[in-house]
Structures are given as structure tokens and as C-alpha cells.
Amino acid sequence: MADDDGLLASLRYLFADIIGDEDEGPPVLPDACPDHLGPAVTKAIDLLIAYQSTSYAQLYIDRLKRFVGRRGVDDALLAEIARLMAERMAYEDAIRIAQLKLGEVSAVGGLAARSADDVKKFRLDELIDALPAVVADPVLGVLDQFGWRRRRVSIRFSANNRFSVRRLRIEAGLKRWRLFSGRYARERVWVERWLHMIDRSLTKQPSAAPAVVQTATMIQGYGDPYRQGIADWHVIIDGLAKPTFDGVLVLPDLAGAIAEARAATMPDPRQAALKRKIAEIRARAPAVS
């Protein structure tokens, strides 16, 4: 039911964003939000409004409300959930890089102070996946036919002349379509699962909740490091956390097990070292009574 509620919330905010339903103003902090956390959450709201929309920032607040005043969630843990969720919801894609580059123009008030160009390398499928699925899927099919899905291209993000700034504005303007993209769909599912695992940890093994929260730091950026982080995260959650919460694996120190597994992660698509470490941890676990 929690996942269904999250899906309905995401769809509601998606359509509000598309039709421009922003009349209610920016979201307000949850009533029970600690005073000292207010500036950080307000900063996250501003970030997500700029990144996507007011309704997207409201989704962030609604997700955060699940843990405000929750038993076992102290101020420090709530602050980490708030910080890491904002970072993950403002995930890095070509649209975001264009937004940040435009921010440099705004910061200096024009083109007088020339900024260095940023050259980023993306896979073709990564660029196409930021577009609405109805457009992206046929293009990805063509890329598959030619074996070009994984071909890398260099994109220059420049703010040094009026033409390049105009191009940045076009690229940043694609944010209106971001919520239709395959990348957004996967990010939404990931955030909801991360929050669900935090919730289960608070119920089943509260001492492990901070470690579960910190697993969000495994996922950064774009390209191969991003895909590796996502894959490693799912292996650790599916191999250690979920079976512990389901009662089919006994790990009294789940936090320690997660830390041990994370130490074994490597930039290896086969995940050989990580899977071997998880097998070792599971082999040491006592039998389920």
C-alpha cells in the first residue's frame, strides 16, 4: 500500500507540474520538524523548485513527513534522511548540468566573467533516457539495432557567448519533460524503496537504520559510476537487508554487515568481490530458529 500511495503522489505532482499548477506557493515545513532543521529543509525546497517545480518540492516534503516525529528517528537521523533525499531527488543528468551552468551566468550577472567550459561524457542511451519515454523508446530501439546504445559522446556545456547560453536555456527547459522520462521513473522507484527499507529497519532493527540511510551515498552522478552504484545497492539490500527484515536471515548486527559489504564494492560490472563478501556474511549467520 505504501508503494501505491507513493505512485499516486508522484502522478499527482507530475500532472500538477505539467499543467503549471503552482498557485499554492512553496511547500511549508512539517509541523513537528525540529527548528534547527528548518534552514536545511528550506534550502532543499528551494533546490527542488529550481530543479523541477513547486509540486516536486511538495513531493519531497510529503516523503519527509513519514519520518518526522517517528519513533527511533532522532534529529540527526532525520537531518540525514532530509539531506540525502534532496540530493537523490535532484539527480544529475544533462538537464541538471545545463541548469548549473546557467546558474554561473546568473551569479556574475552576464557574460563578463567567462567561465570554463564543462565537457561531460555520456552514453547515448543515457542522453535519450532523459526524454519522455514515448520519444525515447523508439530511438533506443534504433540504437540497439546499430549497436550504438553504449556509444559515448562528449557534450560541451558552455556559457561564454550568447549562442551557448541560449542553448543552455533550451537544454534546461527540458525539465518540464523530465518527469515523463525513463530515468525519472527509475529514480522514483529507487527513492521509494530506499525509504521503505528505512521504515522496515526502524521496525525490525532500529540500530541499523542509520546504515540503511547512508546507503544512499552509494549512488552518485551519471554514467558508469551511477549504474555501478545502483547495481551494488540492490545487491546489498536484496542480499542482506531485505532477508533480515523478512526474517529469513539472522543478522543481529545488520549495520556492521552493510558496512562490511560496502567495503567490498569495486568498479566491477560482475560484482564478483561484493557477491563473494555477501555470501561470506550470510554463511556466518546463525540458522533461523
Side-chain angles (χ1 to χ4, degrees):
M1 178 63 83
D3 285 346
D4 290 342
D5 290 343
L7 174 59
L8 291 174
S10 293
L11 289 173
R12 183 168 65 253
Y13 298 127
L14 166 61
F15 289 115
D17 179 64
I18 292 168
I19 66 176
D21 185 14
E22 305 285 355
D23 295 337
E24 296 184 0
V28 297
L29 301 181
D31 293 337
C33 184
D35 291 340
H36 72 86
L37 191 56
V41 175
T42 299
K43 184 178 179 180
I45 290 172
D46 293 340
L47 164 67
L48 294 172
I49 289 175
Y51 179 85
Q52 188 64 44
S53 65
T54 299
S55 53
Y56 193 58
Q58 182 62 57
L59 174 58
Y60 167 79
I61 290 299
D62 286 351
R63 284 168 164 170
L64 187 61
K65 283 179 181 178
R66 304 180 198 178
F67 301 97
V68 175
R70 172 76 182 269
R71 179 190 292 271
V73 179
D74 59 18
D75 290 356
L77 186 60
L78 183 62
E80 280 298 276
I81 294 172
R83 179 180 70 85
L84 293 172
M85 181 164 58
E87 290 181 3
R88 193 66 250 138
M89 288 181 68
Y91 58 86
E92 194 172 8
D93 57 8
I95 300 170
R96 178 59 175 161
I97 295 171
Q99 289 176 319
L100 292 173
K101 202 65 182 176
L102 278 176
E104 295 179 13
V105 177
S106 300
V108 301
L111 302 174
R114 298 172 67 85
S115 63
D117 291 354
D118 290 333
V119 179
K120 307 290 187 181
K121 288 190 175 182
F122 294 91
R123 282 184 9 176
L124 278 175
D125 59 353
E126 196 167 32
L127 291 172
I128 300 302
D129 208 29
L131 299 174
V134 67
V135 175
D137 289 348
V139 176
L140 290 173
V142 173
L143 292 179
D144 283 334
Q145 290 179 10
F146 287 94
W148 291 350
R149 177 183 279 263
R150 297 187 179 184
R151 177 170 292 187
R152 285 173 170 76
V153 294
S154 295
I155 305 294
R156 184 179 300 276
F157 296 88
S158 173
N160 290 332
N161 57 66
R162 295 185 185 281
F163 174 78
S164 60
V165 170
R166 189 176 298 116
R167 196 189 96 181
L168 287 175
R169 287 184 176 138
I170 293 172
E171 291 167 339
L174 293 174
K175 75 173 188 178
R176 279 286 178 179
W177 302 101
R178 183 190 267 135
L179 302 189
F180 281 117
S181 70
R183 172 74 184 272
Y184 172 75
R186 289 191 296 274
E187 291 285 347
R188 187 200 68 79
V189 169
W190 182 87
V191 171
E192 289 296 335
R193 192 176 189 215
W194 175 63
L195 296 175
H196 181 59
M197 287 298 130
I198 297 170
D199 178 77
R200 295 200 70 190
S201 183
L202 289 168
T203 301
K204 300 290 187 177
Q205 197 173 132
S207 61
V212 175
V213 170
Q214 287 299 319
T215 60
T217 62
M218 297 176 65
I219 303 167
Q220 302 287 338
Y222 57 92
D224 289 340
Y226 167 79
R227 283 185 286 274
Q228 185 76 59
I230 283 280
D232 290 346
W233 186 87
H234 281 293
V235 167
I236 290 174
I237 293 300
D238 291 336
L240 299 176
K242 186 179 184 300
T244 299
F245 301 149
D246 289 344
V248 298
L249 180 65
V250 178
L251 288 177
D253 183 15
L254 176 60
I258 289 174
E260 190 177 349
R262 290 189 62 176
T265 58
M266 298 178 65
D268 172 19
R270 298 174 304 164
Q271 302 171 293
L274 175 57
K275 291 177 179 178
R276 185 164 54 247
K277 177 56 66 176
I278 289 177
E280 292 174 3
I281 294 170
R282 292 177 63 99
R284 297 198 307 259
V288 177
S289 59

